[in-house]
Amino acid sequence: MSPAPHIRRVPPVRFTFAGRAVEGHPGESVGVALMRAGVTVLGKGPGDGGPRGMFCGMGLCQECLVQVAGRRVEACRLAVAEGLVVEPLGPLP
Ligand code: FES
């Protein structure tokens, strides 16, 4: 999808999720950039092992937890950055 003609975008940045290269626009969250790239499963649930992904989109539900440098972070509240390495909490379902 191309942006509306009146929206001026700065060049995108590149990060990786589970080794996959993804582009995001500065100011955008990792969760939204992944959704635009078609990545909706960010990990698996601790109980039934079912798929987890963006749900509330504002830092309340913890369904979008991922890892960056060994720390758990919410993908919906993590800004994209050039070279950011994002991993799922465990193997993807
Ligand atoms: S989607 Fe709910 S905390 Fe990120």
Side-chain angles (χ1 to χ4, degrees):
M1 175 187 303
S2 62
H6 61 281
I7 296 176
R8 292 189 180 183
R9 293 268 196 198
V10 295
V13 297
R14 294 185 132 219
F15 65 97
T16 62
F17 177 70
R20 174 182 169 182
V22 181
E23 284 191 347
H25 295 286
E28 184 174 57
S29 74
V30 165
V32 167
L34 287 170
M35 286 177 65
R36 286 193 311 98
V39 179
T40 56
V41 177
L42 305 181
K44 62 181 179 180
D48 64 359
R52 298 171 52 174
M54 294 274 285
F55 183 67
C56 73
M58 56 185 180
L60 297 176
C61 71
Q62 308 292 299
E63 288 294 312
C64 66
L65 284 175
V66 292
Q67 286 189 91
V68 174
R71 295 185 61 205
R72 292 177 177 214
V73 293
E74 298 137 342
C76 68
R77 295 175 27 125
L78 175 66
V80 296
E82 183 67 35
L84 188 68
V85 176
V86 183
E87 296 291 343
L89 288 182
L92 291 172

